[in-house]
Amino acid sequence: MGLRQPPGTIGLRGVTLGYDRHPAVHHLDGEICGGDLLALVGPNGAGKSTLLKGIIGEIGCLDGSIERAEPAGAIAYLPQAAEIDRSFPLSVLDLAAMGLWRRFGSWRSLRRNRSELFEALHAVGLNGFEDRSIGTLSGGQFQRALFARLILQDASVILLDEPFSGVDGRTTQDLLALIRSWHRQGRTIVAALHDLAQVAEHFPITLLLAREPVAWGPTAAVLTPSNLGRAQSLSEAWDEDAPVCAREDGHGSRAPTGSGHSHDHAHGAHDHGHSHGRPV
Amino acid sequence: MIDFVFGPFLEFAFMRRALVGCFALSLSAPPIGVFLMLRRMSLMTEAMSHAILPGAAVGFLVAGLSLPAMTLGGLAAGLAVALLAGFVTRSTVIKEDASLAAFYLISLAAGVLLVSLRGSQVDLLHILFGSVLALDDPALLLLGGIATVTLFALAALYRPLVMECVDPLFLRSVSGVGGPVHYAFLGLVVMNLVGGFQALGTLLAVGLMLLPAISARLWATDLSGLIPVSMLLAMAASLSGLILSYHADLPTGPAIVLSAGALYVVSLLVGTRGGLLRRLMRRRHLAA
């Protein structure tokens, strides 16, 4: 499966992701093409993090399927609130070196690649922090260290979940520059973001999500007041007594034709919202 | 003074055997304790040590006071509880501490029931407080074997184990080894507790695993310091505990653990990394 896809492509085939049978992402169809720089936008509870967790394989699909051109382990993922135990006595260099896991595993010596480690730390502006313990870093410095780890992961697909929350403007600019350089290298990048001005400035493609996909396409066409208003109006709370979703599942066979090749992400809400129990 | 320290060991073979056995345990248990402490799972060993009891009791019921039977039984019960608890944690909403608590309580109750079926109070005390002064060749080989396996396994698992401690989600996202590494680590915990229960008894095996590790935290910050310091502290506690028990005619297991406890109190007071006395002294701050 997925062998014919270009590297970095992620196909979403009628994907429904959620918790305890309640959908957090509902019937999402489309293709994240190799090399896309995609912003994932939507109100709180819109399913942005859930979609990223689904792509990385952390949670399974309730319905539909996600087709990845590479194994889930080859996708780099920066979670929103990393579960990292920062009281653990680990140096910044060691934290960044985790990114080399796929190449070095648990045995091979990192000694010959120290220069690569130092370059990655240099690229995120953490020169001189190599031997500092991760517990002594500030929030923004720690985020920079996590980006150094992402650099070393050298993945063709990079998923970022609100990478700039709690990060100062200067650091954000530095990290955005890094993301642009990844984009130039042809990597696929998906970032969940809240700052719409930032999205408009740096991200050519946007997926506006509010549990249902509201719009997906060129950023200027997606971030219109009417789309944003519609996204905002979708309720965050789920209905405990929601009936089983009766929507026909023809998406998987219908959507891929045409959408993958023409770079046309026209899966707006126009073909959604019919024959469905929950008010939208 | 020299005679006070070395005399007992020069004079009696059983003291030399006890020392060798305790040193073997001092090399393997404290590094495990360091990882447990850093993962905030210190109290988990207490639960696991109780979980071992029914297995040892079954071995005791079947074969009497036989080392292989009780060891195998303890290993089986401990691993069963560790695996069940790990499985429940990874596949349900129950958190690790809660699922361990549930299984160890079941296991402990079963153990007490089994011991009460046969055997007097004296036998139970023997299981609980160990027999370090009666270590025979098989027991020494067992302790040495456990130390060897533990050190090699820790060396092999070191990198993924540290990653699993610091950032389990990251390890999950790049590799599937997180689960097996976690189970292997729990297996090492059980193995060392079973080894410790031979030397020091179930209840006190935990002491030699944790007290030196926790004390080491007051002398070193990173793993390259914590692990050797914890080993040295455990060996010091073993040596002084054995000498103390010989001269004052005290039970050996508690004497060793109390020595480790004394080293902990000393570390608390004068430790160079966050000891109490250092906190009291307000030193001038640095320029940058």
Side-chain angles (χ1 to χ4, degrees), chain A residues 190-221:
Chain A
V190 182
L193 294 165
H194 277 297
D195 183 341
L196 296 183
Q198 195 178 62
V199 171
E201 191 183 338
H202 299 283
F203 289 78
I205 302 170
T206 297
L207 164 59
L208 179 56
L209 199 64
R211 194 173 315 163
E212 314 278 339
V214 175
W216 187 349
T219 300

PDB file of all heavy atoms in Angstrom, chain A residues 190-221:
ATOM      1  N   VAL A 190       3.411  19.708   8.170  1.00  0.00           N
ATOM      2  CA  VAL A 190       2.059  20.021   8.602  1.00  0.00           C
ATOM      3  C   VAL A 190       2.172  20.629   9.990  1.00  0.00           C
ATOM      4  O   VAL A 190       2.724  20.006  10.901  1.00  0.00           O
ATOM      5  CB  VAL A 190       1.173  18.762   8.668  1.00  0.00           C
ATOM      6  CG1 VAL A 190      -0.245  19.131   9.062  1.00  0.00           C
ATOM      7  CG2 VAL A 190       1.190  18.021   7.342  1.00  0.00           C
ATOM      8  N   ALA A 191       1.657  21.869  10.150  1.00  0.00           N
ATOM      9  CA  ALA A 191       1.770  22.541  11.438  1.00  0.00           C
ATOM     10  C   ALA A 191       0.399  23.012  11.897  1.00  0.00           C
ATOM     11  O   ALA A 191      -0.304  23.700  11.157  1.00  0.00           O
ATOM     12  CB  ALA A 191       2.725  23.729  11.329  1.00  0.00           C
ATOM     13  N   ALA A 192       0.010  22.621  13.093  1.00  0.00           N
ATOM     14  CA  ALA A 192      -1.217  23.141  13.701  1.00  0.00           C
ATOM     15  C   ALA A 192      -0.894  24.490  14.327  1.00  0.00           C
ATOM     16  O   ALA A 192       0.039  24.599  15.112  1.00  0.00           O
ATOM     17  CB  ALA A 192      -1.722  22.176  14.762  1.00  0.00           C
ATOM     18  N   LEU A 193      -1.658  25.528  13.942  1.00  0.00           N
ATOM     19  CA  LEU A 193      -1.326  26.885  14.381  1.00  0.00           C
ATOM     20  C   LEU A 193      -2.581  27.659  14.741  1.00  0.00           C
ATOM     21  O   LEU A 193      -3.691  27.324  14.304  1.00  0.00           O
ATOM     22  CB  LEU A 193      -0.582  27.614  13.255  1.00  0.00           C
ATOM     23  CG  LEU A 193       0.800  27.061  12.884  1.00  0.00           C
ATOM     24  CD1 LEU A 193       1.235  27.630  11.550  1.00  0.00           C
ATOM     25  CD2 LEU A 193       1.803  27.386  13.972  1.00  0.00           C
ATOM     26  N   HIS A 194      -2.393  28.723  15.544  1.00  0.00           N
ATOM     27  CA  HIS A 194      -3.516  29.587  15.900  1.00  0.00           C
ATOM     28  C   HIS A 194      -3.360  31.004  15.350  1.00  0.00           C
ATOM     29  O   HIS A 194      -4.336  31.719  15.191  1.00  0.00           O
ATOM     30  CB  HIS A 194      -3.679  29.641  17.424  1.00  0.00           C
ATOM     31  CG  HIS A 194      -4.460  28.494  17.962  1.00  0.00           C
ATOM     32  ND1 HIS A 194      -5.772  28.276  17.617  1.00  0.00           N
ATOM     33  CD2 HIS A 194      -4.119  27.485  18.785  1.00  0.00           C
ATOM     34  CE1 HIS A 194      -6.215  27.191  18.214  1.00  0.00           C
ATOM     35  NE2 HIS A 194      -5.218  26.685  18.928  1.00  0.00           N
ATOM     36  N   ASP A 195      -2.116  31.412  15.083  1.00  0.00           N
ATOM     37  CA  ASP A 195      -1.851  32.777  14.650  1.00  0.00           C
ATOM     38  C   ASP A 195      -2.126  32.902  13.141  1.00  0.00           C
ATOM     39  O   ASP A 195      -1.311  32.500  12.315  1.00  0.00           O
ATOM     40  CB  ASP A 195      -0.396  33.109  14.975  1.00  0.00           C
ATOM     41  CG  ASP A 195      -0.054  34.557  14.631  1.00  0.00           C
ATOM     42  OD1 ASP A 195      -0.804  35.158  13.831  1.00  0.00           O
ATOM     43  OD2 ASP A 195       0.949  35.060  15.155  1.00  0.00           O
ATOM     44  N   LEU A 196      -3.300  33.469  12.799  1.00  0.00           N
ATOM     45  CA  LEU A 196      -3.722  33.480  11.392  1.00  0.00           C
ATOM     46  C   LEU A 196      -2.816  34.358  10.537  1.00  0.00           C
ATOM     47  O   LEU A 196      -2.564  34.050   9.369  1.00  0.00           O
ATOM     48  CB  LEU A 196      -5.176  33.953  11.284  1.00  0.00           C
ATOM     49  CG  LEU A 196      -6.194  33.023  11.962  1.00  0.00           C
ATOM     50  CD1 LEU A 196      -7.608  33.544  11.735  1.00  0.00           C
ATOM     51  CD2 LEU A 196      -6.072  31.598  11.443  1.00  0.00           C
ATOM     52  N   ALA A 197      -2.308  35.473  11.112  1.00  0.00           N
ATOM     53  CA  ALA A 197      -1.412  36.335  10.339  1.00  0.00           C
ATOM     54  C   ALA A 197      -0.151  35.562   9.962  1.00  0.00           C
ATOM     55  O   ALA A 197       0.342  35.644   8.837  1.00  0.00           O
ATOM     56  CB  ALA A 197      -1.059  37.575  11.158  1.00  0.00           C
ATOM     57  N   GLN A 198       0.342  34.802  10.937  1.00  0.00           N
ATOM     58  CA  GLN A 198       1.524  33.976  10.701  1.00  0.00           C
ATOM     59  C   GLN A 198       1.250  32.948   9.595  1.00  0.00           C
ATOM     60  O   GLN A 198       2.069  32.753   8.693  1.00  0.00           O
ATOM     61  CB  GLN A 198       1.812  33.253  12.017  1.00  0.00           C
ATOM     62  CG  GLN A 198       3.146  32.610  12.159  1.00  0.00           C
ATOM     63  CD  GLN A 198       3.227  31.993  13.550  1.00  0.00           C
ATOM     64  OE1 GLN A 198       2.449  31.094  13.886  1.00  0.00           O
ATOM     65  NE2 GLN A 198       4.119  32.494  14.371  1.00  0.00           N
ATOM     66  N   VAL A 199       0.086  32.322   9.653  1.00  0.00           N
ATOM     67  CA  VAL A 199      -0.280  31.333   8.633  1.00  0.00           C
ATOM     68  C   VAL A 199      -0.322  31.996   7.267  1.00  0.00           C
ATOM     69  O   VAL A 199       0.241  31.494   6.290  1.00  0.00           O
ATOM     70  CB  VAL A 199      -1.644  30.697   8.975  1.00  0.00           C
ATOM     71  CG1 VAL A 199      -2.129  29.836   7.810  1.00  0.00           C
ATOM     72  CG2 VAL A 199      -1.534  29.864  10.233  1.00  0.00           C
ATOM     73  N   ALA A 200      -0.995  33.163   7.186  1.00  0.00           N
ATOM     74  CA  ALA A 200      -1.137  33.853   5.904  1.00  0.00           C
ATOM     75  C   ALA A 200       0.220  34.226   5.332  1.00  0.00           C
ATOM     76  O   ALA A 200       0.429  34.212   4.120  1.00  0.00           O
ATOM     77  CB  ALA A 200      -1.997  35.101   6.084  1.00  0.00           C
ATOM     78  N   GLU A 201       1.162  34.562   6.222  1.00  0.00           N
ATOM     79  CA  GLU A 201       2.458  35.016   5.737  1.00  0.00           C
ATOM     80  C   GLU A 201       3.371  33.875   5.303  1.00  0.00           C
ATOM     81  O   GLU A 201       4.104  33.990   4.323  1.00  0.00           O
ATOM     82  CB  GLU A 201       3.150  35.837   6.835  1.00  0.00           C
ATOM     83  CG  GLU A 201       4.377  36.582   6.336  1.00  0.00           C
ATOM     84  CD  GLU A 201       5.080  37.320   7.469  1.00  0.00           C
ATOM     85  OE1 GLU A 201       4.429  37.592   8.494  1.00  0.00           O
ATOM     86  OE2 GLU A 201       6.278  37.600   7.318  1.00  0.00           O
ATOM     87  N   HIS A 202       3.319  32.760   6.016  1.00  0.00           N
ATOM     88  CA  HIS A 202       4.348  31.736   5.809  1.00  0.00           C
ATOM     89  C   HIS A 202       3.847  30.436   5.198  1.00  0.00           C
ATOM     90  O   HIS A 202       4.653  29.624   4.753  1.00  0.00           O
ATOM     91  CB  HIS A 202       5.044  31.409   7.125  1.00  0.00           C
ATOM     92  CG  HIS A 202       5.735  32.584   7.747  1.00  0.00           C
ATOM     93  ND1 HIS A 202       6.944  33.040   7.292  1.00  0.00           N
ATOM     94  CD2 HIS A 202       5.370  33.402   8.766  1.00  0.00           C
ATOM     95  CE1 HIS A 202       7.305  34.086   8.021  1.00  0.00           C
ATOM     96  NE2 HIS A 202       6.372  34.327   8.909  1.00  0.00           N
ATOM     97  N   PHE A 203       2.545  30.190   5.222  1.00  0.00           N
ATOM     98  CA  PHE A 203       2.068  28.869   4.803  1.00  0.00           C
ATOM     99  C   PHE A 203       1.207  28.980   3.543  1.00  0.00           C
ATOM    100  O   PHE A 203       0.144  29.591   3.571  1.00  0.00           O
ATOM    101  CB  PHE A 203       1.268  28.212   5.941  1.00  0.00           C
ATOM    102  CG  PHE A 203       2.135  27.784   7.086  1.00  0.00           C
ATOM    103  CD1 PHE A 203       2.597  28.715   8.008  1.00  0.00           C
ATOM    104  CD2 PHE A 203       2.523  26.461   7.236  1.00  0.00           C
ATOM    105  CE1 PHE A 203       3.413  28.334   9.060  1.00  0.00           C
ATOM    106  CE2 PHE A 203       3.337  26.073   8.281  1.00  0.00           C
ATOM    107  CZ  PHE A 203       3.790  27.006   9.201  1.00  0.00           C
ATOM    108  N   PRO A 204       1.650  28.400   2.430  1.00  0.00           N
ATOM    109  CA  PRO A 204       0.904  28.514   1.183  1.00  0.00           C
ATOM    110  C   PRO A 204      -0.427  27.778   1.206  1.00  0.00           C
ATOM    111  O   PRO A 204      -1.373  28.207   0.541  1.00  0.00           O
ATOM    112  CB  PRO A 204       1.847  27.905   0.141  1.00  0.00           C
ATOM    113  CG  PRO A 204       2.898  27.173   0.882  1.00  0.00           C
ATOM    114  CD  PRO A 204       2.950  27.735   2.258  1.00  0.00           C
ATOM    115  N   ILE A 205      -0.518  26.674   1.937  1.00  0.00           N
ATOM    116  CA  ILE A 205      -1.738  25.870   1.927  1.00  0.00           C
ATOM    117  C   ILE A 205      -2.275  25.756   3.346  1.00  0.00           C
ATOM    118  O   ILE A 205      -1.507  25.651   4.306  1.00  0.00           O
ATOM    119  CB  ILE A 205      -1.465  24.466   1.358  1.00  0.00           C
ATOM    120  CG1 ILE A 205      -0.891  24.568  -0.050  1.00  0.00           C
ATOM    121  CG2 ILE A 205      -2.729  23.622   1.332  1.00  0.00           C
ATOM    122  CD1 ILE A 205      -0.375  23.276  -0.584  1.00  0.00           C
ATOM    123  N   THR A 206      -3.591  25.793   3.483  1.00  0.00           N
ATOM    124  CA  THR A 206      -4.207  25.719   4.800  1.00  0.00           C
ATOM    125  C   THR A 206      -5.368  24.743   4.775  1.00  0.00           C
ATOM    126  O   THR A 206      -6.124  24.686   3.798  1.00  0.00           O
ATOM    127  CB  THR A 206      -4.714  27.100   5.245  1.00  0.00           C
ATOM    128  OG1 THR A 206      -3.589  27.987   5.359  1.00  0.00           O
ATOM    129  CG2 THR A 206      -5.414  27.031   6.589  1.00  0.00           C
ATOM    130  N   LEU A 207      -5.483  23.982   5.847  1.00  0.00           N
ATOM    131  CA  LEU A 207      -6.676  23.165   6.066  1.00  0.00           C
ATOM    132  C   LEU A 207      -7.382  23.739   7.287  1.00  0.00           C
ATOM    133  O   LEU A 207      -6.824  23.778   8.371  1.00  0.00           O
ATOM    134  CB  LEU A 207      -6.294  21.696   6.308  1.00  0.00           C
ATOM    135  CG  LEU A 207      -7.358  20.780   6.922  1.00  0.00           C
ATOM    136  CD1 LEU A 207      -8.610  20.721   6.053  1.00  0.00           C
ATOM    137  CD2 LEU A 207      -6.809  19.375   7.140  1.00  0.00           C
ATOM    138  N   LEU A 208      -8.608  24.231   7.066  1.00  0.00           N
ATOM    139  CA  LEU A 208      -9.406  24.769   8.165  1.00  0.00           C
ATOM    140  C   LEU A 208     -10.300  23.651   8.661  1.00  0.00           C
ATOM    141  O   LEU A 208     -11.114  23.108   7.909  1.00  0.00           O
ATOM    142  CB  LEU A 208     -10.225  25.969   7.684  1.00  0.00           C
ATOM    143  CG  LEU A 208     -11.131  26.646   8.710  1.00  0.00           C
ATOM    144  CD1 LEU A 208     -10.357  27.093   9.930  1.00  0.00           C
ATOM    145  CD2 LEU A 208     -11.846  27.830   8.081  1.00  0.00           C
ATOM    146  N   LEU A 209     -10.126  23.310   9.931  1.00  0.00           N
ATOM    147  CA  LEU A 209     -10.779  22.131  10.477  1.00  0.00           C
ATOM    148  C   LEU A 209     -11.657  22.558  11.642  1.00  0.00           C
ATOM    149  O   LEU A 209     -11.283  23.412  12.434  1.00  0.00           O
ATOM    150  CB  LEU A 209      -9.687  21.172  10.967  1.00  0.00           C
ATOM    151  CG  LEU A 209     -10.003  19.700  11.177  1.00  0.00           C
ATOM    152  CD1 LEU A 209     -10.382  19.038   9.873  1.00  0.00           C
ATOM    153  CD2 LEU A 209      -8.785  19.003  11.779  1.00  0.00           C
ATOM    154  N   ALA A 210     -12.860  22.013  11.701  1.00  0.00           N
ATOM    155  CA  ALA A 210     -13.687  22.227  12.884  1.00  0.00           C
ATOM    156  C   ALA A 210     -14.439  20.921  13.095  1.00  0.00           C
ATOM    157  O   ALA A 210     -15.646  20.836  12.929  1.00  0.00           O
ATOM    158  CB  ALA A 210     -14.652  23.387  12.692  1.00  0.00           C
ATOM    159  N   ARG A 211     -13.692  19.913  13.425  1.00  0.00           N
ATOM    160  CA  ARG A 211     -14.154  18.522  13.475  1.00  0.00           C
ATOM    161  C   ARG A 211     -14.460  18.052  12.054  1.00  0.00           C
ATOM    162  O   ARG A 211     -13.864  17.110  11.580  1.00  0.00           O
ATOM    163  CB  ARG A 211     -15.372  18.361  14.384  1.00  0.00           C
ATOM    164  CG  ARG A 211     -15.602  16.905  14.692  1.00  0.00           C
ATOM    165  CD  ARG A 211     -16.686  16.668  15.706  1.00  0.00           C
ATOM    166  NE  ARG A 211     -16.615  17.539  16.862  1.00  0.00           N
ATOM    167  CZ  ARG A 211     -17.622  17.733  17.687  1.00  0.00           C
ATOM    168  NH1 ARG A 211     -18.772  17.116  17.490  1.00  0.00           N
ATOM    169  NH2 ARG A 211     -17.491  18.514  18.723  1.00  0.00           N
ATOM    170  N   GLU A 212     -15.372  18.740  11.359  1.00  0.00           N
ATOM    171  CA  GLU A 212     -15.530  18.518   9.925  1.00  0.00           C
ATOM    172  C   GLU A 212     -14.482  19.369   9.213  1.00  0.00           C
ATOM    173  O   GLU A 212     -14.112  20.428   9.692  1.00  0.00           O
ATOM    174  CB  GLU A 212     -16.914  19.009   9.472  1.00  0.00           C
ATOM    175  CG  GLU A 212     -18.067  18.584  10.340  1.00  0.00           C
ATOM    176  CD  GLU A 212     -18.544  17.187  10.013  1.00  0.00           C
ATOM    177  OE1 GLU A 212     -18.255  16.743   8.886  1.00  0.00           O
ATOM    178  OE2 GLU A 212     -19.153  16.538  10.879  1.00  0.00           O
ATOM    179  N   PRO A 213     -14.018  18.926   8.038  1.00  0.00           N
ATOM    180  CA  PRO A 213     -13.169  19.819   7.258  1.00  0.00           C
ATOM    181  C   PRO A 213     -14.018  20.971   6.718  1.00  0.00           C
ATOM    182  O   PRO A 213     -15.047  20.737   6.099  1.00  0.00           O
ATOM    183  CB  PRO A 213     -12.655  18.918   6.127  1.00  0.00           C
ATOM    184  CG  PRO A 213     -13.591  17.769   6.068  1.00  0.00           C
ATOM    185  CD  PRO A 213     -14.204  17.608   7.427  1.00  0.00           C
ATOM    186  N   VAL A 214     -13.610  22.223   6.983  1.00  0.00           N
ATOM    187  CA  VAL A 214     -14.381  23.373   6.512  1.00  0.00           C
ATOM    188  C   VAL A 214     -13.860  23.815   5.152  1.00  0.00           C
ATOM    189  O   VAL A 214     -14.647  24.046   4.226  1.00  0.00           O
ATOM    190  CB  VAL A 214     -14.300  24.535   7.526  1.00  0.00           C
ATOM    191  CG1 VAL A 214     -14.994  25.776   6.991  1.00  0.00           C
ATOM    192  CG2 VAL A 214     -14.898  24.111   8.852  1.00  0.00           C
ATOM    193  N   ALA A 215     -12.554  23.916   5.000  1.00  0.00           N
ATOM    194  CA  ALA A 215     -11.987  24.290   3.706  1.00  0.00           C
ATOM    195  C   ALA A 215     -10.536  23.849   3.666  1.00  0.00           C
ATOM    196  O   ALA A 215      -9.853  23.826   4.684  1.00  0.00           O
ATOM    197  CB  ALA A 215     -12.094  25.801   3.500  1.00  0.00           C
ATOM    198  N   TRP A 216     -10.066  23.528   2.466  1.00  0.00           N
ATOM    199  CA  TRP A 216      -8.695  23.046   2.304  1.00  0.00           C
ATOM    200  C   TRP A 216      -8.205  23.556   0.960  1.00  0.00           C
ATOM    201  O   TRP A 216      -8.782  23.222  -0.076  1.00  0.00           O
ATOM    202  CB  TRP A 216      -8.679  21.511   2.364  1.00  0.00           C
ATOM    203  CG  TRP A 216      -7.306  20.893   2.385  1.00  0.00           C
ATOM    204  CD1 TRP A 216      -6.130  21.513   2.157  1.00  0.00           C
ATOM    205  CD2 TRP A 216      -6.993  19.522   2.651  1.00  0.00           C
ATOM    206  NE1 TRP A 216      -5.093  20.622   2.279  1.00  0.00           N
ATOM    207  CE2 TRP A 216      -5.588  19.392   2.579  1.00  0.00           C
ATOM    208  CE3 TRP A 216      -7.765  18.387   2.962  1.00  0.00           C
ATOM    209  CZ2 TRP A 216      -4.944  18.171   2.786  1.00  0.00           C
ATOM    210  CZ3 TRP A 216      -7.122  17.190   3.159  1.00  0.00           C
ATOM    211  CH2 TRP A 216      -5.710  17.083   3.077  1.00  0.00           C
ATOM    212  N   GLY A 217      -7.192  24.385   0.957  1.00  0.00           N
ATOM    213  CA  GLY A 217      -6.694  24.900  -0.309  1.00  0.00           C
ATOM    214  C   GLY A 217      -5.691  26.016  -0.073  1.00  0.00           C
ATOM    215  O   GLY A 217      -5.136  26.131   1.017  1.00  0.00           O
ATOM    216  N   PRO A 218      -5.478  26.846  -1.089  1.00  0.00           N
ATOM    217  CA  PRO A 218      -4.567  27.976  -0.935  1.00  0.00           C
ATOM    218  C   PRO A 218      -5.005  28.836   0.248  1.00  0.00           C
ATOM    219  O   PRO A 218      -6.195  29.101   0.419  1.00  0.00           O
ATOM    220  CB  PRO A 218      -4.712  28.730  -2.250  1.00  0.00           C
ATOM    221  CG  PRO A 218      -5.183  27.709  -3.223  1.00  0.00           C
ATOM    222  CD  PRO A 218      -6.017  26.735  -2.446  1.00  0.00           C
ATOM    223  N   THR A 219      -4.039  29.262   1.044  1.00  0.00           N
ATOM    224  CA  THR A 219      -4.353  29.912   2.310  1.00  0.00           C
ATOM    225  C   THR A 219      -5.307  31.093   2.147  1.00  0.00           C
ATOM    226  O   THR A 219      -6.277  31.218   2.900  1.00  0.00           O
ATOM    227  CB  THR A 219      -3.046  30.382   2.985  1.00  0.00           C
ATOM    228  OG1 THR A 219      -2.239  29.235   3.201  1.00  0.00           O
ATOM    229  CG2 THR A 219      -3.317  31.072   4.289  1.00  0.00           C
ATOM    230  N   ALA A 220      -5.071  31.947   1.146  1.00  0.00           N
ATOM    231  CA  ALA A 220      -5.910  33.129   0.972  1.00  0.00           C
ATOM    232  C   ALA A 220      -7.363  32.745   0.727  1.00  0.00           C
ATOM    233  O   ALA A 220      -8.286  33.426   1.175  1.00  0.00           O
ATOM    234  CB  ALA A 220      -5.372  33.978  -0.182  1.00  0.00           C
ATOM    235  N   ALA A 221      -7.572  31.641   0.020  1.00  0.00           N
ATOM    236  CA  ALA A 221      -8.936  31.231  -0.290  1.00  0.00           C
ATOM    237  C   ALA A 221      -9.606  30.557   0.901  1.00  0.00           C
ATOM    238  O   ALA A 221     -10.838  30.515   0.985  1.00  0.00           O
ATOM    239  CB  ALA A 221      -8.919  30.271  -1.490  1.00  0.00           C
TER     240      ALA A 221
END
